[in-house]
Amino acid sequence: MGVHQYFKSLSDLEKLYRCPGKFKFQEHSVASHSFKVTKIAQFFGTVEEQAGNKVDWKSLYEKALNHDYNELFTGDIKTPVKYASKELRDLFSQVEEQMSKKFVLREFPKEFQSIYLERFKEGKDDTLEGKILSVADKVDLLYESFGEIQKGNPESLFQEIYEESLMTILEFKEMVSVQYFLKEILPDMLNEKFIEHSELNSITKKIIKANLSD
Amino acid sequence: MGVHQYFKSLSDLEKLYRCPGKFKFQEHSVASHSFKVTKIAQFFGTVEEQAGNKVDWKSLYEKALNHDYNELFTGDIKTPVKYASKELRDLFSQVEEQMSKKFVLREFPKEFQSIYLERFKEGKDDTLEGKILSVADKVDLLYESFGEIQKGNPESLFQEIYEESLMTILEFKEMVSVQYFLKEILPDMLNEKFIEHSELNSITKKIIKANLSD
Amino acid sequence: MGVHQYFKSLSDLEKLYRCPGKFKFQEHSVASHSFKVTKIAQFFGTVEEQAGNKVDWKSLYEKALNHDYNELFTGDIKTPVKYASKELRDLFSQVEEQMSKKFVLREFPKEFQSIYLERFKEGKDDTLEGKILSVADKVDLLYESFGEIQKGNPESLFQEIYEESLMTILEFKEMVSVQYFLKEILPDMLNEKFIEHSELNSITKKIIKANLSD
Amino acid sequence: MGVHQYFKSLSDLEKLYRCPGKFKFQEHSVASHSFKVTKIAQFFGTVEEQAGNKVDWKSLYEKALNHDYNELFTGDIKTPVKYASKELRDLFSQVEEQMSKKFVLREFPKEFQSIYLERFKEGKDDTLEGKILSVADKVDLLYESFGEIQKGNPESLFQEIYEESLMTILEFKEMVSVQYFLKEILPDMLNEKFIEHSELNSITKKIIKANLSD
Amino acid sequence: MGVHQYFKSLSDLEKLYRCPGKFKFQEHSVASHSFKVTKIAQFFGTVEEQAGNKVDWKSLYEKALNHDYNELFTGDIKTPVKYASKELRDLFSQVEEQMSKKFVLREFPKEFQSIYLERFKEGKDDTLEGKILSVADKVDLLYESFGEIQKGNPESLFQEIYEESLMTILEFKEMVSVQYFLKEILPDMLNEKFIEHSELNSITKKIIKANLSD
Amino acid sequence: MGVHQYFKSLSDLEKLYRCPGKFKFQEHSVASHSFKVTKIAQFFGTVEEQAGNKVDWKSLYEKALNHDYNELFTGDIKTPVKYASKELRDLFSQVEEQMSKKFVLREFPKEFQSIYLERFKEGKDDTLEGKILSVADKVDLLYESFGEIQKGNPESLFQEIYEESLMTILEFKEMVSVQYFLKEILPDMLNEKFIEHSELNSITKKIIKANLSD
């Protein structure tokens, strides 16, 4: 009981793996996903600020850092379930909120309760910070699915996730940071050179030739 | 599309881990849990049959083997969520059933659809076979939580699971097989000898003494 | 001592990995293999029954569920060893049977001994159920090796396992369920679409184009 | 080359494990450690703010989020090495800074370079935010080592880490947030109840008795 | 075909885990076991040499390094099986030798065949080097089982392995190096201090008191 | 304190993974790397001896077995760091040597100290044995990187490691054993056949056709 329970719960997020029930070459925990999303949001905020938009940094960091904390209570429920019916999704959100609220009221001393109730709320609203979070969350998902495709994961789910992530990012195409991403970052990701096993032969010969002729 | 999708899905159950988001010394997949529950149900059925009760073996095996197949669609959602409200639990069951039904209608040829719709239904009903399944499911959970406690897992959740499992088993205390379990199996589980590190010293001395004096 | 030892042993099967000593992208335990084989046998039995053949379901489930239980005593010995000489294979089977028998006589109360001696016997006999087990065992092995090849495992062993499994399945080509497998399931497995990294570029462009022109 | 390299590098931090070369029951990556430190720093900042101290939130989040990013270049070098000689430690810091600088200049476009050079600098300075980072970093280390001790890790290193972390925290004992931690959080951590295997017997009996007498 | 196959096989030994089918806190591969046995044999050889005994170092290293290479062909078969009958054990040894011989004749060029046939032979003979190997193999097994007991593994198998290893070591009690081990090394192993969770409380209080009173 | 500490440290080398912070399909510990390098060095020594060169086997085995033991103290520091500046590399070597020396003086009894100080020294000198070690170390690294490329690791680092290893091996091209490696072993490695998923279709058809026409 108390803030200790909250600190201890952070470690549970290290044991909560994303996208359960599918073979992956590299697993990602909710803890490290949250880290990466916050770092990506930091970059997107920087781009917006340089373009002259006002960024509320305190709000942006709070949103990014805490955006999946509630999965502690519900787990990373499979996406198709969450969206199987609008009714379920709404009810699900309600339950999540109730459980989160109950946790805050039980574990946090009075003086911190309102602050943490606020922090654990859904952060993807219409503010600039909310929109950056929506995009950063999907950028990390895009990288996760790209990583699987690149390593040769035959599961078509990862192509679906890749496409779905990209389409969500494009919903925010009017944002300067999204335009930056599409123009400067995404092409580099797609241009990643692959090591072809078949090239090894010629590489090897070239190296041997160059070094034997010394 | 087709039965191949069904066969392939069995492997996804090997990647779906039970009780996500908690540190465990030994992980258990839904696939191996289903195996163990079926083996335990087989034993409980044998006890019932020897006591003169009629067991519908085909039904018992079907129930046990398939009892968690629907987690393929929903994941192993955290128990507290499922029971947070009766409304959610009911809706959740509905969604699970709908998704399972959709899967059967999409992947199975017509001639197998009614059979598999039946197989993927909730099997914990009031028949002897349904009751054996209810108990066998909890016996495996009891062993899983006992295993963690025995290995020194400090997480109090496992004591709660142990207690909750035992209480559910006791709800079926009128069954011969449950009485057998309480009288013949549970005491052996609790009497498991531990290796005390402190004993190693005296064990070692005894062995050395016995062997040096040859 | 007692049935508790039997229940506890089920968890050891979760720690016994198939095909030891070879790099695999996805490991499979004897426990989850047994689960999958029983599920596959269930489907094959259903096909046979629909074709008018009488299936002894109790026998089929017992055979499938227990077919690798004896590996508890011997481990998953490397196949080439087992078949290095007929003499060794025969002796090995004898030893396996002896150890299994000793276990049953030591751990099970008298009233269950004959039942479990029967259950732990080799089930791959000439009955319809024995033949379904032979095929289902190889179908799961086919899927396991296909999974490795599909993920890019360079070890030629998996192609050998794939070929050997297919050939064993074909030995039972007169069975209705095997014909069904060859005609309806295997082609779908082979037609699995791959995600080509090189396609990502055009997919991405198509999505961006479609969404930017909104 | 470009920001894509920076985004990609975040995933490398998921594969960089802390405290290499020692048996641990639970591994922690640099990515999830950074997440936890940022969450802890957020709480400490909140306590300070409530006590009337001014917190520069933007600075605090930047410091916490990026404080171990440079381990990307150097790995989590063993602490005894780092402190083997002051000369080595200083040189080591220089090299780390040079490599980090080189990375920023190579991968980031001009307009972001000064911002990221600043972000990847050592953040543990004498500002309130720098001190909160110093403490939060050690609080997470305290929890990590406590977790190992609690699970029964026999390696004395973890007691040393526990003690060293606590002593570093105490160097900041004049801070309100540290006082809060010592008074409200640490005692709860130490009072964690253990599940004693020996208690299971009596718990079990109590439950059975209560439920059988219904 | 060729020495490349031999080099490649070394990596398979990294995927061959010892003592399959039992829960362990720390897994050990045949590759790293071989490394540790060779290092331990090196120390035992040093002790013998200092006591004036002539050590054939080339032979000792060859024996230690290669002593489990043949498990490549047979896997780490469960000990109880190997010793279930003298007949099986003898046949098993024959098969192992045949497979090893076949491998050498198939993969190695003529000029290396006799050397490698010799290297892959059973090395535990009556020479000083053979006896050191017998002991070093068991010392590593003693450490492996001690490690499990120390970490709280409840499986009684590890106590049996501990006892059996110690007894085998004691069969060589006339050796100077074994006497050294019993007198100088084993007591230190047994005297390893444990961190008691219950001590943390007092340790913590002591540290806080000492540091707050500065 | 004592030789027990040395024996115990061998197990730490099993937990020290090479090339930290990069996604790998197969991890390699320092313990198993040391094993493989010693085995490879054994083969290279054999080739040299057959060519009439005198090999000091005791020295060769000592060098190979112990060549990475010092990583116990420093970890597998990232290569780019080690070579970032000559000054750092030199200082780093000094620190490594000091720590190793301190360990030997603290843990080993007097009579073994000079022997172990010698054994833990850098072994890659200009003797034949030192040169074999240099090459064997890189051959194993070549195999490790080849394994990743073969499995489809998209990380370009592994191609760099492959090339760098090959170039180091070529620095010793005047050695008979290196010439043997280049002529007889490397081509076989590069000629490894791949299983193409696309071939599975035709393989399957061929097998089915052959077996159905029986």
Side-chain angles (χ1 to χ4, degrees):
Chain A
M1 305 299 138
V3 178
H4 163 59
Q5 291 304 317
Y6 170 57
F7 280 13
K8 212 181 80 165
S9 75
L10 301 175
S11 184
D12 287 353
L13 297 176
E14 290 183 275
K15 301 298 291 182
L16 201 60
Y17 294 107
R18 286 161 61 78
C19 195
K22 283 292 165 190
F23 171 82
K24 275 147 283 163
F25 289 111
Q26 185 172 2
E27 296 283 348
H28 303 281
S29 71
V30 172
S32 57
H33 165 67
S34 298
F35 166 71
K36 291 182 294 170
V37 167
T38 312
K39 292 275 279 184
I40 293 167
Q42 183 182 58
F43 181 78
F44 275 70
T46 306
V47 174
E48 292 290 336
E49 200 170 60
Q50 291 224 341
N53 295 317
K54 167 119 202 72
V55 175
D56 180 342
W57 286 102
K58 180 168 188 282
S59 164
L60 181 59
Y61 284 121
E62 286 198 359
K63 280 171 186 290
L65 204 57
N66 295 304
H67 84 285
D68 271 347
Y69 184 77
N70 287 348
E71 295 200 359
L72 192 72
F73 312 115
T74 58
D76 188 10
I77 200 177
K78 296 199 152 188
T79 312
V81 180
K82 233 189 295 185
Y83 298 102
S85 78
K86 198 197 162 313
E87 206 185 342
L88 184 73
R89 189 182 46 201
D90 290 349
L91 204 66
F92 202 86
S93 298
Q94 281 172 39
V95 172
E96 217 170 60
E97 245 172 83
Q98 281 170 26
M99 297 188 73
S100 170
K101 197 177 161 182
K102 241 168 75 183
F103 177 81
V104 170
L105 298 181
R106 192 178 64 231
E107 306 297 356
F108 281 89
K110 273 233 174 68
E111 64 267 34
F112 303 116
Q113 291 181 354
S114 64
I115 294 170
Y116 275 89
L117 286 174
E118 186 61 31
R119 282 181 183 160
F120 295 162
K121 261 198 195 151
E122 172 60 59
K124 292 179 178 170
D125 54 29
D126 281 340
T127 61
L128 177 58
E129 294 76 27
K131 290 194 285 183
I132 290 177
L133 170 58
S134 294
V135 173
D137 195 19
K138 291 301 178 184
V139 167
D140 190 48
L141 193 54
L142 196 85
Y143 268 87
E144 284 183 6
S145 55
F146 178 74
E148 290 303 310
I149 296 169
Q150 213 191 8
K151 291 178 185 80
N153 194 321
E155 180 59 65
S156 62
L157 176 72
F158 295 102
Q159 185 172 336
E160 289 164 33
I161 291 177
Y162 177 89
E163 297 183 1
E164 191 269 337
S165 301
L166 185 56
M167 283 188 289
T168 304
I169 293 168
L170 285 164
E171 287 174 20
F172 298 89
K173 65 193 171 203
E174 79 290 352
M175 292 171 69
V176 182
S177 52
V178 170
Q179 287 157 17
Y180 189 93
F181 174 75
L182 294 173
K183 189 158 161 258
E184 305 291 345
I185 302 174
L186 187 61
D188 279 357
M189 185 183 91
L190 290 167
N191 286 334
E192 286 251 320
K193 223 185 126 316
F194 274 63
I195 317 162
E196 284 303 324
H197 174 254
S198 51
E199 292 173 27
L200 273 189
N201 229 308
S202 60
I203 289 169
T204 303
K205 278 181 192 151
K206 220 162 58 189
I207 291 177
I208 291 180
K209 208 178 152 190
N211 285 277
L212 284 187
S213 59
D214 284 355
Chain B
M1 308 297 137
V3 179
H4 163 59
Q5 291 304 318
Y6 170 57
F7 280 13
K8 214 182 78 167
S9 75
L10 301 176
S11 184
D12 287 353
L13 297 176
E14 291 183 275
K15 300 300 290 182
L16 202 59
Y17 293 107
R18 286 161 60 77
C19 195
K22 284 291 165 190
F23 171 81
K24 275 148 284 162
F25 288 112
Q26 185 172 3
E27 295 283 347
H28 303 281
S29 71
V30 172
S32 56
H33 165 67
S34 299
F35 166 71
K36 291 183 293 169
V37 167
T38 311
K39 292 275 279 183
I40 293 167
Q42 183 181 58
F43 181 77
F44 275 71
T46 306
V47 174
E48 292 291 336
E49 200 170 61
Q50 291 224 340
N53 295 318
K54 169 117 200 74
V55 175
D56 181 342
W57 285 102
K58 181 170 188 281
S59 164
L60 181 58
Y61 284 121
E62 287 197 358
K63 280 173 185 291
L65 204 57
N66 295 305
H67 84 283
D68 271 348
Y69 185 75
N70 288 346
E71 295 200 358
L72 192 72
F73 311 117
T74 57
D76 189 10
I77 199 178
K78 296 202 152 186
T79 313
V81 180
K82 236 191 290 185
Y83 297 102
S85 78
K86 201 198 159 316
E87 205 186 342
L88 184 73
R89 188 181 48 202
D90 290 349
L91 204 66
F92 202 87
S93 299
Q94 281 172 39
V95 171
E96 216 170 59
E97 246 172 81
Q98 281 169 24
M99 297 189 73
S100 170
K101 197 175 162 183
K102 241 168 74 182
F103 177 82
V104 169
L105 299 180
R106 191 178 65 230
E107 305 298 356
F108 281 89
K110 272 233 172 68
E111 63 268 34
F112 303 115
Q113 289 180 356
S114 63
I115 294 171
Y116 275 90
L117 285 175
E118 186 61 31
R119 281 180 183 161
F120 295 162
K121 260 197 195 152
E122 172 58 60
K124 292 178 178 170
D125 53 29
D126 281 340
T127 61
L128 178 57
E129 294 75 28
K131 291 194 285 183
I132 290 176
L133 169 58
S134 295
V135 173
D137 195 18
K138 291 302 178 183
V139 167
D140 190 48
L141 194 53
L142 195 85
Y143 267 87
E144 284 183 6
S145 54
F146 178 75
E148 291 302 310
I149 295 169
Q150 214 191 8
K151 291 178 185 81
N153 194 320
E155 179 59 65
S156 63
L157 176 73
F158 295 103
Q159 186 172 334
E160 289 164 34
I161 291 178
Y162 178 88
E163 297 183 1
E164 190 270 338
S165 301
L166 185 56
M167 283 188 287
T168 305
I169 294 169
L170 285 164
E171 288 174 21
F172 298 89
K173 65 194 170 202
E174 79 290 351
M175 292 172 68
V176 183
S177 52
V178 169
Q179 288 157 18
Y180 187 92
F181 174 75
L182 294 174
K183 190 158 160 258
E184 305 290 344
I185 301 174
L186 187 62
D188 279 357
M189 185 183 91
L190 290 167
N191 285 334
E192 286 250 320
K193 225 187 125 313
F194 274 61
I195 318 162
E196 284 304 324
H197 174 255
S198 51
E199 292 173 28
L200 273 189
N201 231 308
S202 60
I203 289 169
T204 303
K205 277 181 191 151
K206 219 161 61 188
I207 291 177
I208 291 180
K209 205 179 154 192
N211 284 276
L212 284 189
S213 59
D214 283 354
Chain C
M1 306 298 139
V3 178
H4 163 60
Q5 291 304 319
Y6 170 57
F7 280 13
K8 215 182 79 165
S9 75
L10 301 175
S11 184
D12 287 353
L13 296 176
E14 290 182 275
K15 301 299 290 182
L16 201 59
Y17 293 108
R18 286 161 59 77
C19 196
K22 283 291 166 190
F23 171 82
K24 275 148 283 163
F25 289 113
Q26 186 172 2
E27 295 283 347
H28 303 281
S29 71
V30 171
S32 57
H33 165 67
S34 298
F35 167 71
K36 292 182 294 168
V37 167
T38 312
K39 292 276 279 183
I40 293 167
Q42 183 181 59
F43 181 78
F44 275 70
T46 306
V47 174
E48 293 290 336
E49 199 170 62
Q50 291 224 340
N53 295 318
K54 169 116 199 76
V55 175
D56 181 342
W57 286 102
K58 182 169 187 280
S59 164
L60 181 59
Y61 284 121
E62 287 197 359
K63 281 172 184 290
L65 204 57
N66 296 304
H67 84 285
D68 272 348
Y69 184 76
N70 288 347
E71 295 201 357
L72 192 72
F73 312 115
T74 57
D76 189 11
I77 200 177
K78 296 202 152 186
T79 312
V81 180
K82 233 190 295 188
Y83 298 102
S85 79
K86 199 196 161 316
E87 204 186 343
L88 182 74
R89 188 182 47 203
D90 289 349
L91 203 66
F92 201 86
S93 299
Q94 280 173 38
V95 171
E96 213 170 62
E97 246 172 82
Q98 281 169 25
M99 298 189 72
S100 170
K101 197 176 161 183
K102 239 167 76 181
F103 177 82
V104 170
L105 298 181
R106 190 178 64 230
E107 305 297 356
F108 282 89
K110 273 236 172 65
E111 63 268 33
F112 302 116
Q113 290 180 355
S114 63
I115 295 171
Y116 275 90
L117 285 175
E118 185 62 32
R119 282 180 182 160
F120 295 163
K121 260 196 194 153
E122 172 59 59
K124 292 179 178 170
D125 52 30
D126 281 341
T127 62
L128 177 58
E129 295 75 28
K131 290 193 286 184
I132 290 177
L133 170 58
S134 294
V135 173
D137 195 20
K138 291 302 177 182
V139 167
D140 190 48
L141 192 54
L142 196 84
Y143 268 86
E144 283 184 7
S145 55
F146 178 74
E148 290 302 310
I149 296 169
Q150 213 191 9
K151 290 177 186 81
N153 194 322
E155 179 59 65
S156 63
L157 175 73
F158 295 103
Q159 186 172 334
E160 289 164 32
I161 291 177
Y162 177 90
E163 296 183 2
E164 190 271 336
S165 302
L166 185 56
M167 283 188 287
T168 305
I169 294 168
L170 285 164
E171 289 173 19
F172 298 88
K173 65 194 172 203
E174 78 292 349
M175 292 171 68
V176 183
S177 51
V178 169
Q179 288 157 18
Y180 188 92
F181 174 76
L182 294 174
K183 190 160 159 255
E184 304 291 344
I185 301 173
L186 187 62
D188 279 357
M189 185 183 91
L190 289 168
N191 285 334
E192 287 252 319
K193 223 186 126 312
F194 274 63
I195 318 163
E196 285 302 325
H197 175 255
S198 52
E199 292 173 27
L200 273 189
N201 230 309
S202 61
I203 290 169
T204 303
K205 277 181 190 151
K206 220 161 59 187
I207 291 177
I208 290 180
K209 205 178 155 192
N211 284 277
L212 284 188
S213 60
D214 284 355
Chain D
M1 309 295 139
V3 178
H4 162 59
Q5 291 303 319
Y6 170 58
F7 280 13
K8 214 182 78 166
S9 75
L10 301 176
S11 185
D12 287 353
L13 297 177
E14 291 183 275
K15 300 299 290 181
L16 201 59
Y17 293 107
R18 286 161 59 77
C19 195
K22 283 292 166 189
F23 171 81
K24 274 147 284 162
F25 289 112
Q26 185 171 1
E27 295 283 349
H28 302 281
S29 71
V30 172
S32 56
H33 165 67
S34 299
F35 167 70
K36 292 183 295 171
V37 168
T38 312
K39 291 276 279 184
I40 292 167
Q42 183 180 59
F43 181 77
F44 275 70
T46 306
V47 174
E48 292 291 337
E49 199 169 63
Q50 290 224 342
N53 295 319
K54 169 116 200 76
V55 175
D56 180 342
W57 286 102
K58 181 170 189 281
S59 164
L60 180 58
Y61 284 122
E62 286 198 359
K63 281 172 185 290
L65 204 57
N66 296 306
H67 83 284
D68 271 348
Y69 184 76
N70 287 348
E71 295 201 357
L72 193 73
F73 312 116
T74 57
D76 189 10
I77 199 176
K78 296 203 153 187
T79 313
V81 180
K82 234 189 294 185
Y83 297 102
S85 78
K86 200 197 160 316
E87 202 185 344
L88 183 73
R89 189 182 46 203
D90 289 350
L91 203 66
F92 202 86
S93 300
Q94 280 173 39
V95 172
E96 215 170 62
E97 245 172 83
Q98 280 170 25
M99 298 188 72
S100 170
K101 196 176 163 184
K102 238 165 79 181
F103 177 82
V104 170
L105 299 181
R106 189 177 67 229
E107 305 298 355
F108 282 89
K110 273 236 174 67
E111 63 269 33
F112 302 116
Q113 289 180 355
S114 63
I115 295 171
Y116 276 90
L117 285 174
E118 185 61 32
R119 282 181 183 161
F120 295 163
K121 261 195 193 153
E122 172 58 60
K124 292 179 179 170
D125 54 29
D126 280 340
T127 62
L128 177 58
E129 295 74 28
K131 290 193 285 183
I132 290 178
L133 170 58
S134 294
V135 173
D137 194 20
K138 292 301 179 183
V139 167
D140 190 49
L141 193 54
L142 195 85
Y143 267 86
E144 284 183 7
S145 55
F146 178 74
E148 291 302 309
I149 295 169
Q150 215 191 7
K151 290 177 186 81
N153 195 321
E155 179 59 65
S156 62
L157 176 72
F158 294 103
Q159 185 172 333
E160 289 164 35
I161 290 178
Y162 177 88
E163 296 183 2
E164 189 271 337
S165 301
L166 186 56
M167 284 188 288
T168 305
I169 293 168
L170 285 165
E171 288 174 19
F172 297 88
K173 65 194 172 202
E174 78 291 349
M175 291 171 70
V176 183
S177 52
V178 169
Q179 287 158 18
Y180 188 93
F181 174 75
L182 294 174
K183 190 160 160 257
E184 305 291 344
I185 301 174
L186 187 62
D188 279 358
M189 185 183 92
L190 290 168
N191 285 335
E192 287 251 319
K193 222 186 126 314
F194 273 63
I195 318 163
E196 284 302 323
H197 175 255
S198 52
E199 292 173 28
L200 273 189
N201 230 309
S202 60
I203 290 169
T204 303
K205 277 179 191 151
K206 220 161 59 187
I207 292 177
I208 291 180
K209 207 180 153 188
N211 285 278
L212 284 187
S213 59
D214 286 355
Chain E
M1 306 298 139
V3 178
H4 162 60
Q5 290 304 318
Y6 171 57
F7 280 13
K8 214 182 81 165
S9 76
L10 301 176
S11 184
D12 287 353
L13 296 177
E14 291 183 275
K15 300 299 290 182
L16 200 60
Y17 293 107
R18 285 161 61 76
C19 195
K22 283 292 165 190
F23 171 81
K24 274 147 284 163
F25 288 112
Q26 185 172 3
E27 295 283 349
H28 303 281
S29 70
V30 172
S32 56
H33 165 67
S34 298
F35 167 70
K36 291 184 294 171
V37 168
T38 312
K39 290 275 279 183
I40 293 167
Q42 182 180 60
F43 181 77
F44 275 68
T46 306
V47 175
E48 292 290 337
E49 200 170 60
Q50 290 224 341
N53 295 317
K54 168 118 199 73
V55 175
D56 180 342
W57 286 102
K58 181 168 189 281
S59 164
L60 180 59
Y61 284 121
E62 286 198 1
K63 280 171 185 291
L65 204 57
N66 295 306
H67 83 285
D68 270 348
Y69 185 75
N70 287 348
E71 294 201 359
L72 192 72
F73 312 115
T74 59
D76 188 10
I77 199 176
K78 294 200 155 188
T79 313
V81 179
K82 233 189 294 187
Y83 297 102
S85 78
K86 198 196 162 315
E87 205 185 342
L88 183 74
R89 188 183 47 203
D90 290 350
L91 204 66
F92 202 86
S93 299
Q94 280 172 40
V95 171
E96 218 171 59
E97 244 172 83
Q98 281 169 24
M99 298 189 72
S100 170
K101 195 175 163 185
K102 239 167 77 181
F103 178 82
V104 170
L105 299 180
R106 191 178 65 231
E107 305 298 355
F108 281 89
K110 272 233 175 66
E111 63 268 34
F112 302 115
Q113 290 181 354
S114 63
I115 294 171
Y116 275 90
L117 285 176
E118 185 61 31
R119 282 180 183 161
F120 295 163
K121 260 197 195 153
E122 173 58 59
K124 291 178 180 171
D125 53 29
D126 281 340
T127 61
L128 177 58
E129 294 74 28
K131 290 194 285 183
I132 289 177
L133 169 58
S134 293
V135 173
D137 195 18
K138 291 301 178 183
V139 167
D140 190 49
L141 192 54
L142 195 86
Y143 267 87
E144 283 184 7
S145 55
F146 178 75
E148 290 303 309
I149 295 169
Q150 213 191 10
K151 291 179 185 79
N153 194 322
E155 179 59 66
S156 62
L157 176 72
F158 295 103
Q159 186 173 334
E160 289 164 33
I161 291 177
Y162 177 89
E163 297 183 1
E164 191 269 336
S165 301
L166 185 56
M167 283 188 287
T168 305
I169 293 168
L170 284 164
E171 288 174 19
F172 298 88
K173 64 193 170 202
E174 79 290 351
M175 291 172 69
V176 183
S177 52
V178 170
Q179 286 157 18
Y180 188 93
F181 174 74
L182 294 173
K183 187 154 163 263
E184 305 290 345
I185 302 174
L186 186 62
D188 279 357
M189 184 183 93
L190 289 167
N191 285 334
E192 286 251 321
K193 223 186 125 316
F194 273 63
I195 318 162
E196 284 303 324
H197 174 254
S198 51
E199 292 173 27
L200 274 189
N201 232 309
S202 60
I203 290 169
T204 303
K205 277 181 192 151
K206 218 162 61 188
I207 291 177
I208 291 180
K209 206 178 153 190
N211 284 277
L212 284 187
S213 58
D214 286 355
Chain F
M1 305 299 140
V3 178
H4 163 59
Q5 290 305 318
Y6 170 58
F7 279 14
K8 214 182 80 165
S9 75
L10 301 176
S11 185
D12 287 353
L13 296 176
E14 290 183 276
K15 301 298 290 182
L16 200 61
Y17 293 109
R18 285 161 61 78
C19 195
K22 284 292 166 189
F23 171 82
K24 274 148 283 163
F25 288 112
Q26 185 171 2
E27 295 284 349
H28 303 281
S29 70
V30 172
S32 56
H33 165 66
S34 298
F35 167 70
K36 292 184 294 170
V37 167
T38 312
K39 291 275 279 183
I40 293 167
Q42 183 181 59
F43 181 77
F44 276 70
T46 306
V47 174
E48 292 291 336
E49 199 170 61
Q50 291 224 340
N53 295 319
K54 168 117 200 74
V55 176
D56 180 342
W57 285 102
K58 181 168 187 282
S59 164
L60 180 58
Y61 284 121
E62 286 197 0
K63 280 172 184 292
L65 205 56
N66 295 305
H67 84 285
D68 271 349
Y69 185 76
N70 287 347
E71 294 201 0
L72 192 72
F73 311 116
T74 58
D76 189 10
I77 200 176
K78 296 201 154 187
T79 313
V81 180
K82 232 188 298 185
Y83 299 102
S85 78
K86 200 197 161 314
E87 204 185 341
L88 184 72
R89 188 182 48 203
D90 290 349
L91 203 65
F92 202 86
S93 299
Q94 280 172 39
V95 171
E96 217 171 60
E97 245 172 82
Q98 281 169 25
M99 297 189 72
S100 169
K101 196 176 161 184
K102 238 167 75 180
F103 178 81
V104 170
L105 298 181
R106 190 177 66 230
E107 305 298 355
F108 281 88
K110 274 235 172 67
E111 64 267 34
F112 303 115
Q113 290 181 354
S114 63
I115 295 170
Y116 275 90
L117 285 176
E118 184 63 30
R119 281 180 184 160
F120 294 163
K121 261 198 194 152
E122 173 60 60
K124 292 178 178 170
D125 52 30
D126 281 341
T127 61
L128 176 58
E129 295 75 27
K131 290 193 285 182
I132 290 177
L133 170 58
S134 294
V135 172
D137 195 19
K138 291 302 178 182
V139 167
D140 190 49
L141 193 53
L142 195 86
Y143 268 86
E144 283 184 7
S145 55
F146 178 75
E148 290 303 309
I149 295 169
Q150 214 191 8
K151 290 178 185 79
N153 194 321
E155 179 59 65
S156 63
L157 175 72
F158 295 103
Q159 186 172 334
E160 289 164 34
I161 291 178
Y162 177 89
E163 297 184 0
E164 191 270 336
S165 301
L166 185 55
M167 283 188 288
T168 306
I169 293 168
L170 285 164
E171 288 173 20
F172 298 89
K173 65 195 169 201
E174 79 290 350
M175 291 171 69
V176 183
S177 52
V178 169
Q179 287 158 17
Y180 188 93
F181 174 74
L182 294 174
K183 188 157 162 259
E184 304 291 344
I185 302 174
L186 186 62
D188 279 357
M189 185 184 91
L190 289 167
N191 285 335
E192 286 252 320
K193 222 185 126 316
F194 273 63
I195 318 163
E196 283 303 323
H197 175 253
S198 52
E199 292 173 26
L200 273 189
N201 231 309
S202 60
I203 290 169
T204 303
K205 277 181 191 150
K206 219 161 60 188
I207 291 177
I208 291 180
K209 206 179 153 191
N211 285 277
L212 284 188
S213 59
D214 284 355

